Structure formats: C-alpha cells, structure tokens
Amino acid sequence: MATDYYGILGVAKGATDQEIKRAYRQMARKLHPDVNPGEEERFKEVTTAYEVLSDPEKRRIVDAGGDPLAGPGAGGFGANFGGGGLGDVFEAFFGSGGGFGSTFGGSRGPRSRVQPGEPALVAVELDLEECASGVNKEITVDTAILCDVCHGSGTNGDSKPISCDTCKGAGEIQAVQRSLLGQVMTVRECPTCHGTGEIIPDPCHKCGGQGRVRSRRTMTVRIPAGIESGMRVRLAGQGEVGPGGGPAGDLYVEVSERPHEVFIRDKDDLHCTLRVPIADAALGGSFEVPTILGDLATVTIEAGTQPGQVVKLRGQGMPHVNTGARGTLHVHLDVAVPAKLTAAQTEALKAFREASDDSIDLVTTSAAAAPGGLFSRLRNAFAGR
C-alpha cells in the first residue's frame, strides 16, 4: 500500500504548495533531533513526505495512487504491477514467492547494505542587518558521519560480511499463511539480516556494524545577502551519512529573522517611522536617517507635511537574494506635537495663532461620511440603540 504522505504532514490531498510547506516547517521544528531527541525517525519521515509532495512529478504519482519512492511501476498501474497497484492486492492474497505472487511482483532479492543518507535541517536566527549584508554563520550540526574506524564497511579489522544462515543470502524468507483461499506462500524480509542477505559476525567496535556514528560538529555556512525568514541554504552532501557508509544527504540551513527595533520588513521593502517636529512639518526640511546597511539617507519633506504621509527612498531597502537590487525604504512621517512649551515657544505660537485665519470645524468630507468614517460610525451607533 502506498505511503500516505499527506497524512504524515497532516494536510488534505488538495493542499496548496504553501500549506504543505507551512505544515512541514511546523513539524520539522517540533521534531528536529536538536529540539526533541528521540524523534529522529519521525523527523526523517516528515522530511521525506515534504520532499515527495514538493516535487510536482512525485506528487502526481502520489495523487494517482502510487508511491514514487517504491521503485519501478510505483506510479499507479505499472507495466508489471511490481511497485504498487494490483501487485499489492495479489500479494495480499497469494504472496510474492510463487504462483500469482511471482507474476505480480516476484522476489526482490537482497538489498544493498549501503543506503543513501537522509537530509538534515538546522535552524538559525539572524538579525535583520545580517540578512541585509549576508554573513558567515557558525552552526552546530548533530548528524551521522562516516565511521573513522571501519570507513563505512561496518566490519572489525579485516573481517568480512558472511551470507545470512536464515535466508541463505536471499534477503527474504518464505512462510505459509492461511487465508480465505487456503494456505498460501508469502515472502517477507528476513528478520536476521533485515533484507541484505548477509550479516557481520565481527562488527566494528565503534559503530556496531552501522558504518556510521552520531557526531556533533561545528561548521561555517555563508548566508547570502537578502535572505528572509523561511528561506534555506542547501549544503550538498553535508547531511546524514547513510547506513553502511552510504552517501550523505544534503544539509539545509533554514533562516528566521529576529524582529528589528526600527525597521519592519515586507519582502525587499522596509518600513520605518520618522518623528518630525511640528515646525519642520509646517516649514519643510531635510533629515538624515540611518539605513539597514549602516549608511545615511536623506529624507526631504515638503512644507505642510501632514501626519501619516510617506516618503519613499528607492534603493534603500533590502537587497534581493538573487539579483542584489535593493528595494524601497518607506519612511512614515509622524508629526510630533510638544507636550511642554517654554515661555518663548508659547508666545511664538500665540502670535502664530493670532496671525492665522484657521477655524475649527467638524469634518464633513467624504472621508468622514464614507463607510467606516466618523459620521458613518456615529450613525450606525445610534441606529443600533
């Protein structure tokens, strides 16, 4: 039966790519061995499910009822029914050791002790400045590495693997089972050699015959400028070494950003708030503000600037991770009204008020009358009484 990759990630069959990615990220963070020791197998299972469903061709096979990781014929009704579909049905009744079982699948034979390794995931948290400039980050990785004593062979010294006595090197054993059709012959993986057809009588004293050992190592990874939360840096061949010293999987470094005290990020754009004295808002002026990369940019405001207006500084945002082109810095203006005045300031404002012909009126503009405006809210409040 094909693996339920959707069920492993806890998403519906019609889930979008973003929903699948979001579900994987949540589960991977919770199950990662560095965070939750003992969940290594579930972490590998979740990672495999995501790799399958994030690949359009593999997902098509899954949606057709097959399993893209089950070998030839896995995509639904294969030519020989060997990897799924009807083969599973006939094997359930007849087994795969003879008769109908050998026709629809046959004996698979021993599998190699050397298997490819699984990918590994490490999470790093960066400041916004580090995301903007790029950084060499030192990370700690807890993965399986090649055993330095047996170099992946799993044997001690010059000893060699020998043929399994239980299955006679076939990697499988036959058994007679009762079914609705009577006694049938079935084929199962050998419990002694676990399908490899051989055992190691004198295993390596360090790795116990696995060809790999767990190790915590420190390495430096280059984080490119412009990276943002959720993005990953792939380090080929730096993940888990496979059983029997098999080739290592890839290591993925997933980035998350710490909140910044001044800037708010929106992809390649940045937003900040600049508090402008009331006199400068009325008269206009220029101000220098620091940017995310540490240089200074000039903000010019027009005379009569109102609270909430935005000045856009193009090319002062975050660099794009692929092109390096920088986004826009949006400076939101906040007009600061002084809470306390000196005597001179008070007299100056009084003189300004006397020279002004401004009057105080209720706002009756379309903005106030529009849905959600002041008058609209008042009307709805009284109507509900």
Side-chain angles (χ1 to χ4, degrees):
M1 183 177 294
T3 303
D4 182 9
Y5 296 107
Y6 290 103
I8 291 173
L9 291 179
V11 297
K13 186 174 181 180
T16 64
D17 292 343
Q18 286 298 324
E19 289 171 338
I20 291 173
K21 182 177 181 181
R22 189 182 308 115
Y24 168 66
R25 288 172 56 188
Q26 292 174 350
M27 296 186 72
R29 289 194 184 101
K30 182 173 65 175
L31 299 175
H32 193 273
D34 289 344
V35 178
N36 198 352
E39 294 287 357
E40 288 86 355
E41 291 305 318
R42 285 194 63 203
F43 175 74
K44 293 177 182 178
E45 187 179 53
V46 166
T47 301
T48 300
Y50 173 69
E51 289 184 340
V52 169
L53 296 181
S54 61
D55 185 305
E57 181 60 23
K58 292 180 181 178
R59 186 174 181 181
R60 182 192 64 79
I61 294 175
V62 171
D63 292 343
D67 189 335
L69 302 184
F77 297 99
N80 296 316
F81 305 106
L86 290 181
D88 291 334
V89 177
F90 278 95
E91 184 176 350
F93 284 101
F94 303 107
S96 60
F100 286 100
S102 60
T103 302
F104 293 96
S107 178
R108 292 169 295 182
R111 61 177 176 82
S112 173
R113 289 183 53 253
V114 180
Q115 297 291 322
E118 298 288 341
L121 177 67
V122 175
V124 296
E125 193 176 37
L126 302 179
D127 295 328
L128 189 60
E129 288 87 352
E130 293 176 314
C131 293
S133 62
V135 64
N136 290 322
K137 200 70 174 180
E138 189 176 84
I139 60 174
T140 300
V141 186
D142 187 2
T143 59
I145 64 172
L146 190 69
C147 177
D148 59 356
V149 175
C150 68
H151 304 291
S153 69
T155 60
N156 183 37
D158 295 331
S159 65
K160 302 291 183 182
I162 62 174
S163 179
C164 175
D165 287 337
T166 304
C167 64
K168 308 304 180 186
E172 303 168 330
I173 57 173
Q174 295 183 349
V176 177
Q177 291 186 348
R178 294 182 179 274
S179 73
L180 295 175
L181 303 178
Q183 290 185 342
V184 294
M185 186 70 71
T186 60
V187 177
R188 295 291 180 265
E189 179 183 277
C190 176
T192 302
C193 65
H194 303 291
T196 64
E198 59 184 22
I199 60 173
I200 300 177
D202 187 14
C204 172
H205 296 164
K206 184 171 184 178
C207 66
Q210 289 293 311
R212 58 179 183 169
V213 293
R214 301 296 301 183
S215 176
R216 177 163 291 185
R217 54 198 168 102
T218 300
M219 58 189 302
T220 300
V221 56
R222 176 61 187 172
I223 306 294
I227 199 166
E228 60 180 300
S229 286
M231 287 186 176
R232 293 178 177 180
V233 176
R234 174 177 172 265
L235 302 178
Q238 295 295 325
E240 298 270 349
V241 167
D250 296 335
L251 172 65
Y252 294 90
V253 181
E254 185 171 276
V255 169
S256 62
E257 297 174 9
R258 298 187 186 97
H260 197 272
E261 60 181 7
V262 172
F263 298 107
I264 296 176
R265 182 175 185 176
D266 179 18
K267 297 188 182 300
D268 293 339
D269 287 353
L270 292 174
H271 295 260
C272 70
T273 299
L274 178 65
R275 182 165 293 175
V276 180
I278 190 171
D280 292 289
L283 300 174
S286 296
F287 305 89
E288 285 191 332
V289 296
T291 69
I292 192 61
L293 291 178
D295 49 355
L296 295 176
T298 300
V299 178
T300 300
I301 62 173
E302 303 293 334
T305 291
Q306 300 299 307
Q309 286 187 217
V310 179
V311 177
K312 297 181 180 181
L313 303 180
R314 304 192 184 279
Q316 295 297 338
M318 297 290 290
H320 190 276
V321 70
N322 292 324
T323 66
R326 294 179 64 182
T328 299
L329 173 60
H330 302 257
V331 182
H332 300 256
L333 302 178
D334 179 20
V335 178
V337 178
K340 294 182 180 180
L341 298 173
T342 64
Q345 291 171 331
T346 299
E347 291 303 318
L349 282 177
K350 285 181 178 179
F352 171 78
R353 183 171 60 184
E354 291 174 359
S356 171
D357 58 358
D358 292 338
S359 60
I360 299 176
D361 298 305
L362 287 174
V363 177
T364 58
T365 63
S366 57
L374 174 62
F375 289 164
S376 177
R377 294 197 300 271
L378 289 173
R379 182 170 59 251
N380 292 339
F382 283 104
R385 296 181 61 179

